[in-house]
Each structure stands twice: as structure tokens, then as C-alpha cells.
Amino acid sequence: MEGKHVEGGLNMPRWRKLLIVFTSAAVLGWMVYGTVNYLSPPSEEEVRSQLAGVAVAETFRFDSQCQLSMMDEVRQYFDLRGAKAGNDMYITGSILNTPVNLYLVDNVAYQQSNNGEWRVNEVPDFDQALNLFTELDPSLVFEFSNLEGYQYLGVEKVAGSSYFHLVFKPAPGGWVGQYFDNVVYTVWLPRRGKKDDFLVTVSGTMRSDPDTAMKMTISFYDIGADITITAPEI
């Protein structure tokens, strides 16, 4: 009795074999490209674009600390955390060991005094309040014109996540360029596909006193998240 022909296995039609080969090659190529793209370090242009994106981000949260080292003495200049949403912002923590609690909401500035009372538009005037918020806005540390001395230092784990570790020496603008020389930026950027947080350390020497060194560390997170800042209850 003549057996039935069963389609499949070694008797698979040529077109189906070719389809499987091409599909497998495409999937393998996609996996290799995705892995290489995930692991390969960012270019200078990619770094510049990502940092500039934070400078113009509508929303983000942050933690920032700054230390000044003078001879053998280290002083905490500020230890702050807060958030930004459009033109609104809040900052809490301490500056020179003095408690700070500031809000800027709908173009109105609020400052809490040491006795817990709130002052409105008094820092001591509104223009000065805006200047204070401008200098405390951590995203403004990215006001620079180039990425001189760009170096890729590899992949490093921070708090359980993998980041690209980078260092560069830009010509900074804003208050960093106004007060400090020999500025070096060390940045931990998240690997591709995750761009809502990163860490930066800015170090340099004080322009008015070269023997005084500055080190500022800023963590940005929830970049682009839905954040609403409301005025404090007075």
C-alpha cells in the first residue's frame, strides 16, 4: 500500500524553508542590532542632546547637594530637593545649614521663615525671588557651549541600574561659569530606552578663591512626568 505524502519536515516546500530562513535571519539581526545599540556608548552629540533635553524639560524632580572644600575643612553649602513643572517650582532643604522652603507658583513666590510663617513675594522683592529660583534650578548647570575633553569611562551600576559613565570639561555658562573655574562634569546617563533619570557631578574651583573647591551632585528623575505644584496653605 502506497503511503501518504505528509507535508513538513524534510518534504517542506522550498518557499516555506526560505521564509523560515529569512525570518530567523531578520529576528537574529534585530536582536544583535538591539543588543549592540543598547550596549554601545553614546556619542558626544547624543549626550549633548540628552542634557539639553533636561535643561528645557517641562517637568522633573531632583535631589542636589553641594560641598565646598577649603584646606582641610569641608562645608555643606546646600542640600536640596524639589520639583519643577513649567514655570512653577518648589525647593526644600537647607542652605548653609539654614532650613529653606520655597515655592514659585503662578508667578508668586512663597518663602517660609524659621518660625513657620510664610512670606509672599518677599525675598525681599519679587525680582530677587526670581533670581534665587534661577540659581537654585539644577537644570541650569547644563548651560554650556561644548563638550571639551569628552571621555567614555564605561558602564557602571548605580542603585542597581546600569548607566553610561561619562566625563567632560565644558565651558560652562550661567552661575557655574560665573563663579567657578576648572569645571569638570561627570555624568551617569541611563542606557538607551530609559531617559527619565540620570546623575551628574559638577566639580571646580571658586574663581574668587582658587584654594576653595566645589563639588555638586544632582540626581534628576521623573523627567517629563505629570507633576503639579500647588501653593502652600497660608
Side-chain angles (χ1 to χ4, degrees), residues 13 21 23 39-40 46 53 64:
V21 170
T23 301
L39 295 176
S40 60
E46 288 176 313
S64 62

Side-chain angles (χ1 to χ4, degrees), residues 37-174:
N37 189 51
Y38 178 73
L39 295 176
S40 60
S43 66
E44 291 186 40
E45 187 57 37
E46 288 176 313
V47 173
R48 185 194 306 274
S49 176
Q50 190 160 349
L51 297 183
V54 177
V56 298
E58 280 292 307
T59 62
F60 59 79
R61 292 186 172 90
F62 68 90
D63 295 321
S64 62
Q65 297 82 35
C66 183
Q67 290 183 334
L68 299 177
S69 301
M70 298 158 281
M71 304 299 288
D72 294 330
E73 184 181 4
V74 178
R75 292 184 181 179
Q76 184 91 9
Y77 178 39
F78 62 71
D79 183 359
L80 302 170
R81 64 206 58 83
K84 184 176 181 181
N87 293 325
D88 296 342
M89 193 172 184
Y90 87 85
I91 299 171
T92 185
S94 63
I95 299 177
L96 295 175
N97 294 320
T98 300
V100 170
N101 205 4
L102 301 169
Y103 284 77
L104 183 64
V105 180
D106 295 332
N107 294 324
V108 177
Y110 303 84
Q111 181 185 28
Q112 191 172 33
S113 64
N114 291 337
N115 61 13
E117 295 181 354
W118 288 95
R119 293 182 290 176
V120 181
N121 287 357
E122 296 178 27
V123 198
D125 59 58
F126 187 58
D127 288 338
Q128 189 171 344
L130 292 179
N131 289 335
L132 176 61
F133 274 92
T134 297
E135 291 197 358
L136 294 178
D137 182 347
S139 66
L140 298 183
V141 301
F142 299 122
E143 290 187 348
F144 48 74
S145 56
N146 51 43
L147 295 179
E148 294 180 2
Y150 176 86
Q151 296 179 57
Y152 171 63
L153 303 181
V155 175
E156 186 173 322
K157 284 215 166 188
V158 179
S161 298
S162 297
Y163 291 79
F164 293 120
H165 189 189
L166 317 163
V167 64
F168 53 91
K169 301 175 182 179

